Amino acid sequence: MSPVAAVLPLAFVMIAGPQIISSFFLATSSQPVRNSLSYVAGAAVSITGVVTVAYVFAQGATGNTRSDSHGTAATVLDWVILGLVLFLVVHTFLTRKTSEPPAWMGKLQEARPKFAFTLGLALLGVFPTDIASSITVGLHVARHGGEWWQVLPFVALTLLLLGLPLIGILVLGHRAEVVLPKVRDWMNDNAWVVSEVVLVFFAVITVNSLVGS
């Protein structure tokens, strides 16, 4: 499996939780388009930044070593990636019952674009699951010889998922008032299950890489 295809499912892990719930609130705020686009823009900056740092680090670790030590560096990266994925599995499971939106989310409907941008920057760049997921993507793509641009489909898919509530409102119009709350509630209750499936899938890929190295 190509490094791009392997990391794409992690985009769902990135948005599961307060990240996507915030998108729903911002999409129904007083300035839905500006707030949503600002939120996505902030997320784009933080995700791209963290993924790039991880990619450059892994590229340096594997690209500047002698041929006889390249395999060792690659194996170490595989173990680091597996450790991050296991952390995500445990963290997602332990926090599955604390998925209720924080009280401050209710204030997002009166948010302004500047705050939405800062929120996107923080939630997608500071949240433990997002930092670990972004680092995992950067390390994995570099570890398997991918070019830097190959992390961009992951970034783009994550941003698309964050933008879906706004897209839903623009497409559905008034019907979105009925549909979106149901989708939001389902995501809030079940996103952790989908995340666990994705993470186990990625863990298997990483273990196979370790076995084959």
Side-chain angles (χ1 to χ4, degrees):
M1 179 179 292
S2 71
V4 176
V7 300
L8 281 179
L10 289 176
F12 190 90
V13 180
M14 290 287 292
I15 60 94
Q19 297 83 348
I20 189 62
I21 303 302
S22 294
S23 292
F24 280 102
F25 279 108
L26 290 172
T28 56
S29 64
S30 56
Q31 301 181 56
V33 176
R34 293 183 63 191
N35 281 337
S36 296
L37 292 179
S38 297
Y39 180 66
V40 170
V45 172
S46 57
I47 298 170
T48 305
V50 175
V51 170
T52 299
V53 170
Y55 176 87
V56 171
F57 172 82
Q59 188 76 356
T62 58
N64 295 329
T65 56
R66 301 189 309 274
S67 58
D68 58 347
S69 59
H70 177 84
T72 300
T75 300
V76 170
L77 283 178
D78 279 334
W79 279 110
V80 172
I81 292 170
L82 183 59
L84 288 171
V85 173
L86 292 178
F87 161 76
L88 287 169
V89 169
V90 174
H91 184 277
T92 300
F93 181 77
L94 293 178
T95 58
R96 70 193 187 285
K97 294 182 179 180
T98 58
S99 58
E100 288 300 316
W104 56 263
M105 281 192 177
K107 301 178 181 179
L108 292 182
Q109 293 184 321
E110 301 300 325
R112 295 293 181 265
K114 183 178 180 180
F115 176 80
F117 178 87
T118 304
L119 182 66
L121 196 68
L123 279 183
L124 279 298
V126 176
F127 228 65
T129 51
D130 293 299
I131 295 176
S133 298
S134 295
I135 291 175
T136 298
V137 170
L139 294 181
H140 183 84
V141 172
R143 156 68 179 88
H144 292 277
E147 300 292 337
W148 173 81
W149 64 265
Q150 290 181 296
V151 306
L152 297 182
F154 160 79
V155 176
L157 180 57
T158 304
L159 299 180
L160 175 62
L161 292 174
L162 289 176
L164 284 181
L166 176 63
I167 295 173
I169 285 181
L170 296 178
V171 172
L172 297 175
H174 291 298
R175 288 178 296 172
E177 297 177 4
V178 176
V179 175
L180 288 187
K182 294 180 180 179
V183 176
R184 182 190 65 203
D185 292 342
W186 186 92
M187 288 288 296
N188 193 52
D189 294 337
N190 301 289
W192 75 272
V193 178
V194 181
S195 293
E196 292 287 51
V197 172
V198 169
L199 290 168
V200 170
F201 164 77
F202 195 79
V204 171
I205 293 176
T206 306
V207 170
N208 286 337
S209 178
L210 276 167
V211 172
S213 60

